[in-house]
Amino acid sequence: MHINKLIALVLFGACQFSCLQILCQKKTDTVIVSSAITDTSKKNLLAQDTEAKKFNPRKATFRSAIIPGWGQAYNKKYWKIPIIYAALGTTGGIFFYNLTIYKLLKQAVIYKSDTIPGNDALIDPRFINLSLESIRTYRNNYRQNIDYSVLFFLIFWGLNVVDATVDAHLKSFDVGNDLGLKIKPGYNYVTHTPGITFLLSLREKRSKALSSVP
């Protein structure tokens, strides 16, 4: 009788111990899973934050301002570099062409204006048969063309800087498949007529990562 009670007591204690072990194991598993989810979310957040920090708009602006195309290379937009150099190279070539012709016309005006007949032979053959007033007109036109070519060169250089800066800023936004243009029916309260509404959604990558944290 005492042996049966002892056996029952031992079995009851074993069952209690097993149940306690199962509960502890479940709690441990829950803590591990929760910790793993939290760690994963933190890693995603850090990865997104690191990705955004890789493309610093200030660095892109500074590099493009020094060397055209350097900011685009920093943003990994290599295909834009030939376009930038084609624009700058074209305006640069036009500048030097106009400058060369301007110098020839300027010298031609000097030779035509002096009282030494022999200097007329030193004028460029393209302008030797032109009158003094015509040469002056051409000189002024080419001088104006030089100013325009310098202006356009500076504009293209500035656009190169702006493009690199904007690209670096957009790196921190979600431009994946979730980004889209939504078209919804709308109503124009001014003309009181139905119309169409275009909605463009932009989200920062970092905010997307934060939303995944439990």
Side-chain angles (χ1 to χ4, degrees):
M1 186 67 180
H2 293 290
I3 295 176
N4 292 334
K5 287 183 178 181
L6 182 60
I7 293 173
L9 185 61
V10 171
L11 290 174
F12 179 75
C15 290
Q16 292 293 329
F17 181 73
S18 298
C19 292
L20 182 61
Q21 276 190 324
I22 292 172
L23 290 174
C24 290
Q25 182 65 32
K26 285 184 178 180
K27 288 182 179 180
T28 304
D29 292 341
T30 303
V31 172
I32 292 173
V33 171
S34 299
S35 177
I37 294 174
T38 304
D39 291 342
T40 303
S41 301
K42 288 181 179 179
K43 287 179 180 178
N44 291 335
L45 178 59
L46 290 174
Q48 296 288 352
D49 192 36
T50 303
E51 182 68 19
K53 288 181 179 178
K54 282 183 181 179
F55 303 96
N56 190 327
R58 291 184 179 180
K59 290 184 179 179
T61 303
F62 178 74
R63 295 185 181 192
S64 286
I66 295 177
I67 301 177
W70 193 9
Q72 283 70 21
Y74 172 76
N75 293 331
K76 299 187 185 302
K77 294 295 182 68
Y78 303 105
W79 61 273
K80 293 183 178 182
I81 298 177
I83 299 175
I84 293 170
Y85 277 94
L88 294 176
T90 300
T91 52
I94 293 173
F95 167 79
F96 285 109
Y97 172 78
N98 288 324
L99 182 62
T100 301
I101 301 299
Y102 169 76
K103 288 180 178 179
L104 292 174
L105 289 168
K106 183 180 178 181
Q107 196 64 40
V109 169
I110 295 174
Y111 290 148
K112 280 280 186 179
S113 302
D114 61 24
T115 57
I116 304 174
N119 286 342
D120 291 349
L122 300 176
I123 298 175
D124 188 274
R126 289 172 289 183
F127 316 122
I128 194 170
N129 295 323
L130 297 177
S131 64
L132 179 59
E133 290 301 321
S134 297
I135 295 175
R136 283 177 176 170
T137 301
Y138 281 118
R139 180 200 61 185
N140 295 336
N141 289 337
Y142 276 93
R143 182 68 183 87
Q144 191 176 41
N145 290 340
I146 291 173
D147 295 336
Y148 284 142
S149 58
V150 171
L151 177 61
F152 279 104
F153 184 86
L154 294 176
I155 288 175
F156 285 129
W157 194 302
L159 290 175
N160 144 73
V161 176
V162 172
D163 175 76
T165 305
V166 172
D167 267 344
H169 274 294
L170 290 179
K171 291 292 184 179
S172 62
F173 286 90
D174 183 6
V175 291
N177 295 328
D178 295 336
L179 178 67
L181 181 66
K182 296 182 180 180
I183 303 176
K184 293 184 178 181
Y187 184 79
N188 192 326
Y189 292 96
V190 177
T191 60
H192 300 287
T193 57
I196 298 176
T197 303
F198 296 91
L199 299 175
L200 179 63
S201 59
L202 284 174
R203 295 187 305 277
E204 281 194 284
K205 288 183 178 179
R206 185 169 183 178
S207 61
K208 184 177 179 181
L210 283 171
S211 63
S212 65
V213 179

